[in-house]
Amino acid sequence: LPPSAGPDGMAARILHRLRHALAGEGDREERVRGGSEAEDFPESSELEDDTEGLSTRLSGTLSFTSHDEEEEEEEEEEDGAGEELGEPPQPPGAAAGAEDGGRCWGLGLTPLPCAEWSPAAERPGSSLLTRQLQELWRKSRGSLAPQRLIFEVTSASVVSDRSSKYVLYTIYLIRSGRFDKAPAAIARRYSDFERLNRRLRCRFGCDMADVAFPRKRLRRNFTAETIAKRSRAFEQFLSHLHSIAEIRRSPEFLEFFFLQDLQAAQRLTCTGMYREALATWANAYRLQDRLGVCSSGRFLLTLAGLAVCHQELDELGEAHGCCEQALQLLEAQGSHPLLGPFLQAHVHLAWKVGKDKRHSEARLQDLREAGPPLHQQPTLKECLIKEPLE
């Protein structure tokens, strides 16, 4: 056999094919970057050449007004139109680092235990090849970009009101390898993405240096081609941001996703529109769950909103469950502005639904001995309404 047919050569070829499959999108991106289309359409130098596929996916969800005027400008693009805001992109997740511990990653970027390679070692003559592959994967896994959260533009609509015309993009947050019964979704326009990009570049200048952002345009903002290209650009933009640990934990990035929902849910709750508020609180809950921030103050406020709306709609079992989840998060905290209100609500709801309330009553007694009288504390609904959300 020639030298390349030995175990070393075979291991190298298999590793090359696997890495080539994973890096396929990056290769296509490089080919587009050098194309002549970049001069005619600035965004094309920043995106993978996937416009046709994305246009097909959005073909049933692209919505246009009857008076589509290509010369008309978007409201958010009136100032400084044509300004270049982005740099050529790097592969999404390139800055994420090796956070996968001792796991290997398959072609679908799904975490696989390294032990799944071991059955091949039982076959005669294959143990050397298996060990070599395991070693090569260990050395090269830092260059792979496992994607745990996928951002997908599912629809784009041209919206016209009295003073402006803009495109509204609906983005789903999808956990890779898992089935979500209810989607977590946001609807954002170009100016929302631009504001996020500007805030992050002010705070994370070095990390944002290689993050691409679609440039502003003077004309043709409402054509199907432009919308499809920008949809793909926003997917890549969010994926790249999420791959950088410091950015995905920052308030600027997180609040881009759920602050609007929290503000809208609070307004609906204050006006007594509990059914509408419940749906908005629930979407904010799912967004925070996908983003992995289920121990923050915003998440506790979300649980308070869900509990209040469920209780007002006479869904006492669901309200009780929300209080229990919040109290589990507050278990290790001796004091918190929402601890007393949650305990009082939990005791009341547990009595209503016939659940054990002794533990909450004991914690309430401890609060009485350590602080002001409970009758002076606000209820859960009062805390929810008075909480400033900016």
Side-chain angles (χ1 to χ4, degrees):
L1 292 176
S4 62
D8 292 338
M10 185 178 298
R13 289 202 306 277
I14 293 176
L15 178 64
H16 174 74
R17 291 175 183 173
L18 290 173
R19 297 187 67 180
H20 183 271
L22 292 169
E25 292 186 356
D27 293 339
R28 290 196 301 272
E29 184 178 353
E30 292 295 330
R31 290 196 297 270
V32 172
R33 189 178 298 151
S36 60
E37 186 186 356
E39 296 180 1
D40 178 63
F41 195 85
E43 289 93 332
S44 64
S45 64
E46 304 172 353
L47 308 177
E48 297 177 10
D49 190 10
D50 191 33
T51 306
E52 182 177 353
L54 191 136
S55 297
T56 301
R57 172 157 61 84
L58 295 179
S59 60
T61 54
L62 286 175
S63 175
F64 298 91
T65 55
S66 58
H67 54 285
D68 183 17
E69 302 174 6
E70 295 183 356
E71 301 298 323
E72 186 173 356
E73 300 179 6
E74 293 185 61
E75 179 190 30
E76 63 267 19
E77 297 186 0
E78 291 178 355
D79 298 328
E83 177 186 359
E84 295 185 1
L85 297 179
E87 298 294 336
Q90 301 296 321
E99 299 180 356
D100 53 325
R103 292 180 293 179
C104 299
W105 294 86
L107 284 176
L109 296 183
T110 302
L112 302 172
C114 290
E116 293 196 9
W117 290 97
S118 59
E122 300 175 1
R123 297 193 293 271
S126 64
S127 59
L128 178 61
L129 174 61
T130 300
R131 287 197 301 271
Q132 290 172 332
L133 282 173
Q134 287 178 339
E135 182 63 26
L136 288 169
W137 271 108
R138 281 201 268 305
K139 290 180 179 179
S140 64
R141 70 168 180 255
S143 64
L144 303 179
Q147 186 158 359
R148 300 173 180 85
L149 192 63
I150 299 170
F151 304 90
E152 182 175 305
V153 176
T154 59
S155 66
S157 302
V158 178
V159 179
S160 295
D161 56 30
R162 296 178 180 178
S163 59
S164 64
K165 180 180 178 182
Y166 57 90
V167 181
L168 193 65
Y169 301 88
T170 299
I171 302 101
Y172 276 23
L173 280 67
I174 304 169
R175 286 180 289 205
S176 179
R178 296 182 61 181
F179 174 73
D180 292 321
K181 295 181 180 179
I186 59 173
R188 300 290 184 268
R189 52 193 290 183
Y190 182 95
S191 60
D192 296 320
F193 285 99
E194 184 184 30
R195 189 179 304 110
L196 173 65
N197 179 63
R198 186 170 59 251
R199 293 180 67 191
L200 291 176
R201 288 188 188 277
C202 289
R203 183 177 175 188
F204 303 100
C206 294
D207 290 324
M208 292 291 294
D210 295 326
V211 178
F213 186 79
R215 300 178 178 90
K216 293 182 177 180
R217 293 176 58 80
L218 276 171
R219 301 187 306 169
R220 301 175 61 83
N221 287 300
F222 307 108
T223 64
E225 180 187 20
T226 300
I227 293 174
K229 284 183 178 288
R230 280 194 171 170
S231 298
R232 180 59 175 155
F234 291 143
E235 290 176 347
Q236 292 181 335
F237 175 67
L238 294 176
S239 294
H240 198 160
L241 294 180
H242 187 261
S243 72
I244 304 172
E246 292 78 9
I247 291 180
R248 70 168 173 262
R249 300 188 190 111
S250 66
E252 294 86 352
F253 180 75
L254 294 172
E255 291 180 355
F256 168 81
F257 289 94
F258 53 78
L259 183 58
Q260 290 187 22
D261 271 3
L262 294 179
Q263 292 170 334
Q266 186 183 50
R267 289 193 298 268
L268 291 168
T269 305
C270 291
T271 56
M273 301 177 68
Y274 300 113
R275 183 62 65 186
E276 294 81 358
L278 181 62
T280 310
W281 287 119
N283 189 61
Y285 178 101
R286 291 190 293 269
L287 288 168
Q288 292 171 85
D289 177 54
R290 305 297 189 274
L291 294 165
V293 287
C294 293
S295 59
S296 65
R298 301 288 199 195
F299 190 70
L300 287 170
L301 188 70
T302 305
L303 288 173
L306 289 169
V308 168
C309 290
H310 278 304
Q311 185 172 1
E312 293 291 342
L313 295 169
D314 204 29
E315 298 169 351
L316 303 184
E318 291 82 354
H320 176 265
C322 293
C323 290
E324 283 204 327
Q325 185 176 357
L327 291 175
Q328 288 174 3
L329 294 173
L330 293 168
E331 184 71 34
Q333 301 190 34
S335 63
H336 188 279
L338 289 175
L339 179 58
F342 266 121
L343 285 171
Q344 293 186 84
H346 184 258
V347 169
H348 174 73
L349 290 166
W351 178 77
K352 287 279 190 179
V353 299
K355 299 288 185 178
D356 186 8
K357 54 185 172 60
R358 288 173 294 179
H359 183 59
S360 293
E361 287 177 330
R363 294 184 71 184
L364 272 174
Q365 182 61 34
D366 293 339
L367 285 181
R368 289 191 184 99
E369 296 174 356
L374 288 179
H375 67 269
Q376 296 181 4
Q377 292 190 5
T379 64
L380 200 60
K381 185 175 181 180
E382 290 171 341
C383 289
L384 184 69
I385 292 174
K386 295 176 180 179
E387 177 69 21
L389 290 173
E390 298 176 354

